[in-house]
Amino acid sequence: MPSKLARFTDRCVALSQKAVGSDGNQPVRKGEGGYADWVIVALHGLREYLDLPYRRLLDILREMPDIVEKLGLTVDELPDFTTVCARKQALKMRIWRVLLRLSVNLFDTGEIQAIDSTSLAHRSSSHNYAKRVKGTFESVKTTLLVDCSTRVILDVHCSMNLPHDTQIAWQVLSRNLDRLGTVVADKGFDWDKLRHMLRDEGIRTVIKHREFYGLDAAHNARIDDETYHRRSIVESIFFALRKRFGSTVKARTWFGQFREIVLKAAVRNIEQSLTT
């Protein structure tokens, strides 16, 4: 039976090719644009999966010809680690989001979805970089939409401005209306307009009210606690992401951090699919 790394690589390569829309493209054309985008995406997936720096990743892959072959390359054709690093920023954010959505298709999702937010810390920037951009990024507000039955990450939203949860919720949920059955969230997402918009789409909402009036408490008393407490699954997935990939994001730029977080979510989905 193939190793888990080999199976991960097969799935990562297949999804990377679909994400960039180039199933049949040659992996490398010397002098004609270099490495195909899907090769770069797959290499970044392997980097997150193996939790290695760029230079170390390429060193180890040179000792794994069978894994490299799955990328359509020979060991001698592997790119330099600087190429892998630089090309990540050149790829549009849309590719990483499509990769995440494709990873969701590896699962049969259920009827209940949960949404929640937290802040992921950013490691300290260098003094010169902080001076050049006139500031530092201390944290990234990250919102996850999760399927409660499979624990797959359906979508990710990242922001540096720390907006309120209600400002994020519809933006995330509207992208995934076809996957929603019942949306569960805590009081941070209490917004009547959000409830109405979801109900208009035929989606049930289980979102507690902030209790300003007696009627709010009455609404909360009618909520099915068993369904509502499924929202804790999002918290457990945030914990799992920190445990699996570390508690900080490593990219120095805000757009690099967004790519990194979305890629981690996609890699976790692919990894989870190997056990189902």
Side-chain angles (χ1 to χ4, degrees):
M1 181 178 179
S3 68
K4 189 175 180 181
L5 174 59
R7 288 182 289 133
F8 174 87
T9 306
D10 284 335
R11 291 194 180 183
C12 189
V13 166
L15 296 185
S16 297
Q17 290 175 336
K18 291 180 181 179
V20 302
S22 57
D23 293 5
N25 282 11
Q26 294 181 5
V28 59
R29 294 182 180 180
K30 295 182 179 179
E32 298 183 14
Y35 295 92
D37 288 345
W38 66 263
V39 173
I40 301 300
V41 173
L43 283 171
H44 278 283
L46 281 169
R47 189 179 81 89
E48 291 292 351
Y49 179 75
L50 296 172
D51 193 22
L52 293 171
Y54 291 105
R55 190 193 299 267
R56 181 68 173 156
L57 171 69
L58 274 299
D59 284 345
I60 287 179
L61 285 179
R62 287 186 174 89
E63 304 301 324
M64 297 180 175
D66 291 342
I67 298 298
V68 175
E69 186 178 356
K70 294 178 182 297
L71 300 170
L73 303 172
T74 65
V75 169
D76 293 335
E77 291 176 324
L78 280 170
D80 187 76
F81 74 94
T82 56
T83 300
V84 179
C85 180
R87 286 283 300 278
K88 182 180 182 181
Q89 305 301 332
L91 294 173
K92 294 181 179 180
M93 184 66 181
R94 180 190 66 82
I95 290 176
W96 306 102
R97 286 205 170 277
V98 172
L99 180 67
L100 175 59
R101 289 189 67 86
L102 290 171
S103 72
V104 175
N105 293 338
L106 298 172
F107 299 82
D108 293 324
T109 54
E111 291 296 320
I112 301 175
Q113 293 73 40
I115 187 171
D116 203 359
S117 301
T118 192
S119 292
L120 298 180
H122 170 240
R123 69 178 184 181
S124 299
S125 303
S126 69
H127 175 73
N128 289 335
Y129 178 79
K131 184 177 180 180
R132 187 164 70 251
V133 301
K134 299 180 181 180
T136 58
F137 307 124
E138 296 181 355
S139 63
V140 182
K141 182 163 185 176
T142 304
T143 301
L144 295 185
L145 177 65
V146 172
D147 180 69
C148 293
S149 62
T150 60
R151 295 177 178 261
V152 62
I153 300 172
L154 301 175
D155 203 352
V156 178
H157 181 280
C158 303
S159 175
M160 290 295 180
N161 299 322
L162 303 182
H164 194 271
D165 291 340
T166 55
Q167 299 178 35
I168 299 171
W170 179 247
Q171 184 176 348
V172 176
L173 296 172
S174 62
R175 293 197 297 251
N176 299 275
L177 293 174
D178 58 325
R179 300 185 185 275
L180 302 179
T182 297
V183 174
V184 181
D186 62 21
K187 294 178 181 179
F189 294 86
D190 174 21
W191 184 28
D192 284 340
K193 185 176 180 180
L194 175 63
R195 292 187 180 91
H196 295 320
M197 289 188 294
L198 289 174
R199 287 169 187 164
D200 289 343
E201 297 293 336
I203 297 164
R204 178 190 176 204
T205 59
V206 182
I207 304 173
K208 278 204 172 182
H209 294 252
R210 287 169 289 179
E211 297 183 1
F212 298 116
Y213 308 100
L215 185 60
D216 297 326
H219 282 307
N220 290 343
R222 295 167 55 193
I223 285 178
D224 175 11
D225 286 340
E226 183 177 353
T227 301
Y228 176 71
H229 289 306
R230 300 293 293 277
R231 67 182 181 80
S232 63
I233 291 174
V234 188
E235 297 171 2
S236 69
I237 290 177
F238 274 122
F239 175 81
L241 284 172
R242 290 189 176 98
K243 185 177 180 180
R244 175 67 176 83
F245 300 108
S247 59
T248 61
V249 289
K250 300 173 184 177
R252 292 184 175 184
T253 60
W254 61 267
F255 49 87
Q257 292 170 26
F258 293 0
R259 286 163 169 75
E260 180 181 341
I261 293 170
V262 172
L263 178 58
K264 288 181 190 298
V267 168
R268 183 184 184 277
N269 286 350
I270 299 171
E271 187 175 15
Q272 291 294 110
S273 74
L274 301 177
T275 62
T276 58

